[in-house]
Amino acid sequence: MISYVTVGADDIARAKQFYDAFLPALGYELKEGPEGLSYALPVAPGQTILLPDFYVKPTFNGAPASAGNGTMVTFEARNQNQVRTLHLAVLAAGGADEGQPGFRASYGPHFYVSYLRDPQGNKIAIFSCDPDEPGRDAV
């Protein structure tokens, strides 16, 4: 199981604007500190920790942050409408469109996804795969 994912950012304020545009809507809570942004799913007393956490931090070595070629972090939305809503919110928060919300021929018939880039260039996807919603092949 993946415990956490970290992406680098040179401008934490811009990164916060981008990630705050959608992560709270997916249930993530933000803890902000001098080491950067830490997003985690809340855990009620007695419940098991929900993973993964998501961190946005300056680089440890002080060199400029860079996006990995072929690297992508994907978050699950509740439904197709939330994918569309969050895609627009992220664009308004300074993100770049990397693929409009919709179905992709190379994925399953209910995999509805949008692709974005954060201000640092990291690729982010938001998807829904709800079998109770119309799929790609619905008429």
Side-chain angles (χ1 to χ4, degrees), residues 24-92:
L26 298 177
Y28 281 83
E29 294 178 350
L30 170 64
K31 289 184 183 174
E32 188 173 0
E35 72 285 349
L37 311 173
S38 299
Y39 292 91
L41 295 166
V43 179
Q47 283 189 330
T48 304
I49 293 174
L50 301 171
L51 299 173
D53 292 344
F54 186 75
Y55 305 128
V56 183
K57 307 204 177 266
T59 61
F60 288 103
N61 65 4
S66 62
N69 185 23
T71 302
M72 179 172 56
V73 179
T74 305
F75 294 92
E76 186 171 7
R78 288 187 293 279
N79 53 47
Q80 294 170 16
N81 185 58
Q82 190 177 35
V83 171
R84 290 186 294 273
T85 300
L86 295 179
H87 186 88
L88 291 174
V90 168
L91 293 177

Side-chain angles (χ1 to χ4, degrees), residues 95-119:
D97 183 17
E98 191 75 10
Q100 287 289 310
F103 298 105
R104 304 302 192 270
S106 55
Y107 297 117
H110 290 281
F111 192 82
Y112 189 87
V113 63
S114 75
Y115 298 102
L116 302 133
R117 294 272 179 184
D118 76 1

